[in-house]
Amino acid sequence: MTKVERITNTLQETRQRRETQKPTVYELKLQNLSKGKAEVLRKAFLEAKWLYNWLVSDTERLGIPANKVSAVEVKAGDSYEQRELTVLGSQIKQEIADRLKDNLLALGKLKKSGRKVGALKCKRFVNSIPLKQYGVTYNLDFAGNRVRIQKLGKFRVLGLHQIPADAEIANAVLLRKPSGYYLHVTCYLPKDSRTSPNPIDKDIGIDFGVSSKLTLSNGIRIDFEVHETPRLKQLQRKLAGTQKGSRNRERIQFLLRKEYEKVNNRRKDAQNKVLAFLKIYRKVVFQDDCVKGWSGLFGRQVHSSGIGGLKSRLRTSLETPVAVERTETTTRECFACGKRRDLSLWDRVIECECGWKCDRDVNAALVILRKGLGLGVEQAVGLDRPELKPLERDAAARILGSNPYIRVSFPQ
């Protein structure tokens, strides 16, 4: 068997194996960096920027094997200087070039579909380095909590305990953030191993809103907002008074990125807590609302919660998500009889001639649950305002109560 045939067979076996697996990304933080190791990492990202900009400035250079490139031209003021690539490994160089080729192919497809796209430009900084092949470009030492990166050396990492023993480790990305350096490792786990019995053996419907970000069909309301901190506003005022190109401006920009990262981490933690709570249910039904359209009326409340990101994560983070089309009528429809009512934004209670009286958000969540399960009005027996189980209250208090930015209210 030739080398090409062996590679073809290996790729085919990998594709078949991936059909029974699910990808998961684990974040590891590089810790206890000495001055020497921190300088090596800083130089690696600097050389990655040099190589990327050198390839972007003349795309014909993509025909040259990037792993053979040992020096590139870098613009310094009005002239160009020759800089050597001393810390980037050969595979990392090739992966940077492959990433650029993928970007060009993606732009080409957008242009063919009629979208207006511009040309790729040089970057001021590069904050991610691809590590494509596990065991060659990088390697993990679970016993010593270390990671070895090609030509960069060994580093102590935090978070290796997250990766299960049956995980198949694939590619990774080395990231630079204001809070430090991180490694995002992609692993493939068997789909069967991800399924776990749900503590609450019932289905739940979700209605997204502004005052209460999530209203569940059992009456629980979840609200969370993480606003800009006073320090963030102070740094923005300081940045406005600095001179472009000065070191003071670069220092304040770094502090701004660090503060933005803190705010984003808080919002992401709130989303993670909500998703962890929803995982206790058997099925989660939600409507595919256009949250982006809400920004025109409720911009600050929508942006500070990150509800759009939460909605998009429902499809990938939950085991049994059920989406209802956004064109389906939910708020104005009576859950009991299915008749449509005329409601204004100020009407918080829906009252129907059939005798049904309910909060409009809870009614919408019940309608979403009924439509998501494919039930008619006469079949939705037992879904209307079921009794809240003690296990649900305990789970909400334990999971959601651990985040100070999440407010939970229970039905009276």
Side-chain angles (χ1 to χ4, degrees):
M1 185 182 294
T2 63
K3 183 179 179 180
V4 176
E5 291 175 344
R6 288 199 304 271
I7 293 175
T8 304
N9 293 337
T10 303
L11 291 174
Q12 187 175 1
E13 292 174 0
T14 303
R15 292 192 191 98
Q16 293 176 354
R17 195 167 61 253
R18 292 289 183 261
E19 293 178 357
T20 61
Q21 295 174 326
K22 187 172 184 178
T24 305
V25 179
Y26 296 97
E27 184 179 73
L28 314 176
K29 184 173 183 179
L30 276 62
Q31 278 194 320
N32 302 336
L33 297 177
S34 63
K35 290 185 178 179
K37 290 185 176 181
E39 179 62 23
V40 169
L41 290 171
R42 186 197 67 82
K43 194 170 183 182
F45 283 94
L46 182 62
E47 291 185 3
K49 182 189 76 169
W50 291 346
L51 178 60
Y52 182 88
N53 291 343
W54 182 72
L55 294 172
V56 166
S57 59
D58 186 2
T59 53
E60 292 184 359
R61 293 169 176 164
L62 291 172
I64 306 173
N67 57 341
K68 303 293 185 182
V69 178
S70 59
V72 295
E73 290 182 348
V74 177
K75 188 175 182 180
D78 297 331
S79 60
Y80 287 88
E81 297 179 358
Q82 197 81 2
R83 303 283 176 87
E84 293 186 359
L85 305 179
T86 57
V87 299
L88 287 184
S90 58
Q91 279 206 356
I92 295 178
K93 296 176 188 176
Q94 191 60 50
E95 288 158 17
I96 292 174
D98 293 340
R99 175 186 282 186
L100 179 56
K101 291 178 183 178
D102 294 338
N103 293 341
L104 291 173
L105 288 174
L107 288 177
K109 289 181 181 179
L110 291 175
K111 194 171 183 180
K112 286 182 180 179
S113 62
R115 301 280 295 274
K116 291 184 178 180
V117 296
L120 290 177
K121 298 181 179 179
C122 295
K123 295 184 177 182
R124 290 183 59 189
F125 44 80
V126 170
N127 286 331
S128 65
I129 296 177
L131 308 174
K132 192 172 183 179
Q133 190 173 3
Y134 177 68
V136 179
T137 315
Y138 79 104
N139 200 359
L140 298 176
D141 179 12
F142 289 88
N145 289 330
R146 297 286 192 277
V147 58
R148 180 196 60 80
I149 304 176
Q150 188 182 51
K151 288 196 72 173
L152 300 183
K154 289 186 178 182
F155 304 89
R156 181 177 176 82
V157 291
L158 177 67
L160 275 177
H161 63 279
Q162 304 174 90
I163 303 178
D166 60 343
E168 181 180 343
I169 304 175
N171 60 334
V173 179
L174 180 63
L175 297 177
R176 176 175 59 179
K177 298 182 181 181
S179 59
Y181 296 94
Y182 295 83
L183 190 71
H184 285 191
V185 181
T186 302
C187 299
Y188 287 89
L189 301 174
K191 290 183 178 180
D192 298 337
S193 66
R194 299 296 302 277
T195 58
S196 58
N198 304 101
I200 306 297
D201 189 24
K202 73 175 184 180
D203 307 321
I204 198 75
I206 303 176
D207 177 60
F208 291 103
V210 178
S211 58
S212 296
K213 300 302 178 291
L214 284 84
T215 302
L216 307 186
S217 56
N218 56 8
I220 296 179
R221 297 176 184 271
I222 304 173
D223 187 23
F224 56 95
E225 292 182 13
V226 181
H227 298 289
E228 294 183 351
T229 60
R231 175 174 170 77
L232 187 59
K233 297 178 180 179
Q234 181 185 16
L235 290 172
Q236 288 172 341
R237 289 192 295 267
K238 285 185 178 181
L239 182 68
T242 58
Q243 185 178 0
K244 290 185 178 180
S246 63
R247 289 190 176 182
N248 187 33
R249 186 179 181 88
E250 291 182 359
R251 182 182 65 84
I252 295 178
Q253 284 177 336
F254 172 78
L255 295 176
L256 262 174
R257 290 194 296 270
K258 194 171 184 178
E259 194 67 22
Y260 270 119
E261 184 183 356
K262 289 182 181 179
V263 175
N264 291 334
N265 287 341
R266 290 169 184 168
R267 289 175 183 167
K268 192 173 181 180
D269 181 69
Q271 293 178 1
N272 292 339
K273 294 292 191 298
V274 173
L275 289 171
F277 174 69
L278 294 177
K279 285 181 180 179
I280 69 175
Y281 293 100
R282 185 174 53 199
K283 285 185 180 179
V284 179
V285 186
F286 62 96
Q287 190 169 21
D288 192 13
D289 295 309
C290 182
V291 178
K292 187 177 181 181
W294 300 354
S295 301
L297 295 173
F298 313 99
R300 187 169 182 266
Q301 291 175 285
V302 175
H303 293 156
S304 60
S305 64
I307 190 174
L310 173 63
K311 182 182 69 66
S312 62
R313 291 180 62 189
L314 285 175
R315 296 179 181 273
T316 57
S317 299
L318 300 179
E319 294 178 1
T320 55
V322 180
V324 176
E325 293 294 333
R326 67 180 61 176
T327 55
E328 292 284 344
T329 305
T330 55
T331 304
R332 295 188 296 111
E333 183 174 322
C334 175
F335 168 74
C337 65
K339 185 178 179 180
R340 296 186 181 182
R341 311 288 302 174
D342 291 331
L343 293 176
S344 67
L345 192 60
W346 312 111
D347 297 329
R348 305 312 305 172
V349 177
I350 180 171
E351 296 186 29
C352 187
E353 290 86 353
C354 67
W356 175 258
K357 183 178 179 180
C358 182
D359 178 87
R360 63 178 289 164
D361 295 333
V362 177
N363 176 79
L366 287 168
V367 174
I368 290 171
L369 177 60
R370 173 168 57 80
K371 292 188 174 183
L373 297 179
L375 302 176
V377 176
E378 66 283 352
Q379 297 173 312
V381 180
L383 293 181
D384 54 325
R385 288 183 276 193
E387 183 180 355
L388 194 64
K389 297 181 179 180
L391 187 58
E392 294 177 89
R393 288 180 177 270
D394 295 341
R398 186 183 73 255
I399 300 174
L400 302 177
S402 61
N403 189 299
Y405 299 98
I406 299 178
R407 298 178 294 277
V408 184
S409 61
F410 299 99
Q412 299 296 329

